[in-house]
Amino acid sequence: MTPERLGLLWGITVFAGAGARLLAALTGLPGVVLLLLSGLLIGRSGFGLVEPLDLGQGLETIVGLLVSLVLFDGGLNLRLPGETIKNTVLRISVIRLVVSLAAGLLAAHWLAGLGWSVAAVYSAIVLATGPTVVTPLVQQIRLASPLGDVLEAEGLVLEPVGAVLALLLLELLLGDLHGWREVAFGLLARLGGGVLMGSAAGWLLSEALRRVKPDRSVGLRLQITLGVLFLLYGICEWLLPESGLPASVAAGVVVGRRPATEANQLDLLIRELARLAITMLFPLLAADVSWAELSPLGWGGVTCVLTLMVIVRPAAVSLATFGLPLDLRQKLFLGWLAPRGIVTAAVASLFSIRLEQAGILGAGRLQGLVFLTILMTVGIQGLTAQPLARALGLLAPEDSSEEAPESGSILPGPS
């Protein structure tokens, strides 16, 4: 690909994303929905102006680095005050890990027609809600705290787990791993190794930031942060593939918890860069969607995704929150909002290429079903999130700065 063509690709992508952001600001429509539509418009399903595969192997690197920035920002902002909220996140994550994996496997095989092995990979890929989608939605609809924190934390916990598990299942399918024991060991090694390396890097970064006076060089603090983060991601991916995602979250959590680093000031800069990353990545990955991959799925694919949305997710949340001090309104909203995001799209695109190269049947159907899941969850749930939250009385008052309660009901009643 010529440098001129490469520059045009990025120019169109960023312009489309920025235009979607502007339209969202002017109309009040969910920004993530418009970002997704902008990618469809400029990609294979639209005018064909952007072909992500033209980036070659650089696509995986670019996506990985930008996603690590988004996840680091999520860890930096992760706030879970009170044991009730922490228990809610933990129980939702663990129970959804089991229930959604099993249900996704069955739905993808019986309803969408994927083979058992490919269906297992699909189930792991779409396991997590995407913080790249949830966070902008929560901010735009002004969801009362800390319900938004619970949704973001769920994605931050399950996003790396789903990506790592999907990679291991892919390697099992391709014959690189032999047996479930190796899968389990690989999952623990990548998640544990990533968290350890991320925690160590976060401590070193916080020590470096502590020695730089925040009122003298904000730019230097940002440069140090990005340097450590990207180096961390590169080392993790070199040593343990897919461990860079949990490492990024862990590093963000450590830096955000150390008050000497003045994380609040740093967060403003990181948050803007994370938004820019989302603005670039969503149109780029959505441009890879082809109607030729979606149409063969037919109503079976639509039914599969709807099953995950209206049956599996609410059932898992109801089971996870049983006995916790949440009222019916809060459970309904938690059970509805579960959009998939950038990591899901990126993993699907890259895995589909590996499956095609290995001659595995169903690679195109896998990518098509994953993108159908993203399109339906982002589109339907993104458009209905604010009206549902308003109807349930879960929006924060415009003139209040709420603080999360330490105990009792997670959210106050409607004002």
Side-chain angles (χ1 to χ4, degrees), residues 89 92-93 96 129 150-159 313:
V89 173
I92 289 177
S93 300
R96 276 204 60 232
T129 57
V150 173
L151 288 165
E152 291 183 58
E154 177 197 351
L156 286 171
V157 171
L158 287 181
E159 191 94 87
R313 167 74 181 186

Side-chain angles (χ1 to χ4, degrees), residues 12-358:
I12 293 173
T13 301
V14 177
F15 178 80
R21 291 285 196 186
L22 176 61
L23 186 59
L26 295 176
T27 63
L29 292 172
V32 291
V33 175
L34 297 178
L35 285 171
L36 187 62
L37 292 176
S38 70
L40 295 175
L41 187 64
I42 64 176
R44 296 180 186 177
S45 300
F47 295 108
L49 302 175
V50 171
E51 173 53 72
L53 294 182
D54 287 345
L55 295 173
Q57 295 182 343
L59 175 63
E60 182 175 1
T61 303
I62 292 169
V63 171
L65 289 173
L66 293 180
V67 167
S68 71
L69 174 61
V70 175
L71 294 182
F72 177 82
D73 172 64
L76 196 65
N77 287 276
L78 185 60
R79 300 290 182 268
L80 296 176
E83 289 301 318
T84 299
I85 302 172
K86 294 176 183 176
N87 290 336
T88 301
V89 173
L90 179 61
R91 287 177 57 172
I92 289 177
S93 300
V94 172
I95 292 178
R96 276 204 60 232
L97 177 63
V98 177
V99 174
S100 298
L101 272 177
L105 169 66
L106 297 176
H109 177 71
W110 287 339
L111 299 176
L114 298 184
W116 283 113
S117 298
V118 179
V121 176
Y122 163 80
S123 182
I125 291 176
V126 301
L127 171 66
T129 57
T132 55
V133 184
V134 172
T135 300
L137 277 176
V138 167
Q139 293 172 349
Q140 185 168 5
I141 68 178
R142 297 182 296 102
L143 190 63
S145 175
L147 189 57
D149 296 327
V150 173
L151 288 165
E152 291 183 58
E154 177 197 351
L156 286 171
V157 171
L158 287 181
E159 191 94 87
V161 175
V164 172
L165 183 58
L167 173 66
L168 295 172
L169 292 175
L170 176 69
E171 293 179 349
L172 182 65
L173 175 59
L174 296 177
D176 297 331
L177 293 178
H178 305 88
W180 292 103
R181 180 176 298 180
E182 291 190 17
V183 172
F185 176 78
L187 180 63
L188 293 175
R190 284 170 168 82
L191 292 177
V195 170
L196 287 176
M197 288 186 284
S199 299
W203 182 84
L204 290 174
L205 175 58
S206 62
E207 286 297 305
L209 294 175
R210 186 170 61 86
R211 288 166 169 76
V212 178
K213 294 182 179 180
D215 57 341
R216 294 185 58 183
S217 183
V218 177
L220 177 59
R221 293 164 60 81
L222 177 62
Q223 293 170 37
I224 294 172
T225 300
L226 293 180
V228 172
L229 175 62
F230 290 164
L231 179 60
L232 168 67
Y233 178 82
I235 292 176
C236 288
E237 292 299 303
W238 176 51
L239 295 176
L240 292 169
E242 296 298 335
S243 66
L245 300 185
S248 301
V249 176
V253 170
V254 171
V255 174
R257 294 301 175 275
R258 303 199 68 187
T261 61
E262 299 290 341
N264 290 336
Q265 184 187 45
L266 180 66
D267 172 59
L268 296 177
L269 299 175
I270 295 295
R271 174 54 56 91
E272 287 304 316
L273 288 179
R275 288 172 177 167
L276 176 60
I278 294 172
T279 300
M280 295 168 60
L281 284 175
F282 235 110
L284 179 67
L285 295 175
D288 196 38
V289 178
S290 170
W291 296 122
E293 294 173 341
L294 298 178
S295 56
L297 296 170
W299 288 109
V302 174
T303 305
C304 173
V305 179
L306 287 176
T307 300
L308 297 181
M309 292 173 60
V310 302
I311 298 177
V312 177
R313 167 74 181 186
V317 169
S318 297
L319 183 61
T321 56
F322 180 79
L324 293 176
L326 282 78
D327 61 31
L328 181 60
R329 301 173 301 121
Q330 298 157 357
K331 292 181 180 181
L332 284 174
F333 193 82
L334 283 174
W336 172 243
L337 191 63
R340 275 59 171 187
I342 289 173
V343 175
T344 303
V347 171
S349 298
L350 299 173
F351 284 14
S352 177
I353 295 173
R354 290 187 59 180
L355 288 172
E356 288 178 353
Q357 292 173 344

